[in-house]
Amino acid sequence: LRSPYHGGHLEVIVGPMFSGKSEELIRRVTRAVIARQRVAVFKPAIDDRYHATHVASHSGRSVEAHAVRSSEEVRQLLRGETPLLSGEVELPDVVGFDEAQFFDAGLVPLALELAHAGVRVVMAGLDLDFRGEPFGVMPDLLARAESVEKLTAVCVECGAPATRTQRLIAGRPARYDDAVVLVGAQESYEARCRVHHAVTR
Ligand code: ADP
């Protein structure tokens, strides 16, 4: 059960929505728990899909997680300034992050510091936003990771491997310059391949 990288390292899991990133993060974390490793999982507080203190996949599996507002809050929790792991100051063996694309730029130095300190860091997040552009901190994390897994979903239009997330507003492809968060808008997301991914210019 030792890491193939001889110590701390960074693993990144990416792909579009519905590609199973949360499922894969849950799978890796659950195996670590079975091996009696100490695990802490974090997710941004903005994603309250299904449960505020769990990472949940679209298929219903879940694992306990701390909802945080910033990478600094993760630092504080790991330093033991707030009760986590019953006040232990020792770092966990494994630290997981879901929806990593929504974290601030401080996530990159934090991931590197943890990896240097011997922690196995597992990040799951969207590599591309709805426009098909690199998403936030993800390119930086992908470049620095020891291991990268790109997952695909199933294109809802043709059944091919889907690498993109289609954003629909009132059933129509979103505009390139639409705000990332649209308050009160009738929006939805679908997995699509490159051919069927559409952005209104
Ligand atoms: P992600 O974290 O990448 O959004 P999840 O792990 O939450 O993905 O969910 C993956 C699950 O979503 C799949 O196992 C499947 O049950 C479901 N799903 C819904 N739509 C699709 C699709 N178009 N392609 C693949 N899986 C889908």
Side-chain angles (χ1 to χ4, degrees), residues 37-76:
Q37 296 187 325
R38 288 156 308 159
V39 172
V41 180
F42 300 94
K43 60 175 215 168
I46 41 169
D47 176 45
D48 56 7
R49 175 171 91 187
Y50 308 139
H51 201 295
T53 53
H54 285 78
V55 164
S57 79
H58 289 105
S59 59
R61 291 190 64 202
S62 73
V63 72
E64 267 185 61
H66 303 268
V68 292
R69 263 156 230 88
S70 64
S71 60
E72 183 53 36
E73 196 178 337
V74 176
R75 278 180 192 278
Q76 286 169 9

Side-chain angles (χ1 to χ4, degrees), residues 35-181:
R36 296 201 189 83
Q37 296 187 325
R38 288 156 308 159
V39 172
V41 180
F42 300 94
K43 60 175 215 168
I46 41 169
D47 176 45
D48 56 7
R49 175 171 91 187
Y50 308 139
H51 201 295
T53 53
H54 285 78
V55 164
S57 79
H58 289 105
S59 59
R61 291 190 64 202
S62 73
V63 72
E64 267 185 61
H66 303 268
V68 292
R69 263 156 230 88
S70 64
S71 60
E72 183 53 36
E73 196 178 337
V74 176
R75 278 180 192 278
Q76 286 169 9
L77 286 163
L78 291 172
R79 274 195 222 113
E81 289 170 16
T82 321
L84 170 72
L85 307 166
S86 21
E88 268 180 77
V89 181
E90 216 181 316
L91 287 171
D93 300 297
V94 180
V95 175
F97 293 86
D98 200 18
E99 304 286 2
Q101 76 280 355
F102 288 135
F103 276 86
D104 55 278
L107 187 65
V108 177
L110 174 61
L112 299 179
E113 281 171 49
L114 288 171
H116 276 300
V119 176
R120 176 184 172 201
V121 183
V122 187
M123 301 266 184
L126 292 164
D127 44 357
L128 302 173
D129 65 18
F130 73 91
R131 303 169 302 178
E133 303 286 357
F135 208 143
V137 293
M138 299 311 293
D140 206 332
L141 291 171
L142 284 164
R144 295 174 195 274
E146 271 83 358
S147 136
V148 171
E149 184 152 18
K150 277 218 177 202
L151 301 174
T152 55
V154 176
C155 176
V156 297
E157 296 290 326
C158 71
T163 53
R164 321 262 150 159
T165 304
Q166 178 66 49
R167 185 190 202 189
L168 298 167
I169 303 202
R172 308 191 51 151
R175 299 178 59 84
Y176 187 89
D177 49 13
D178 275 338
V180 173
V181 180

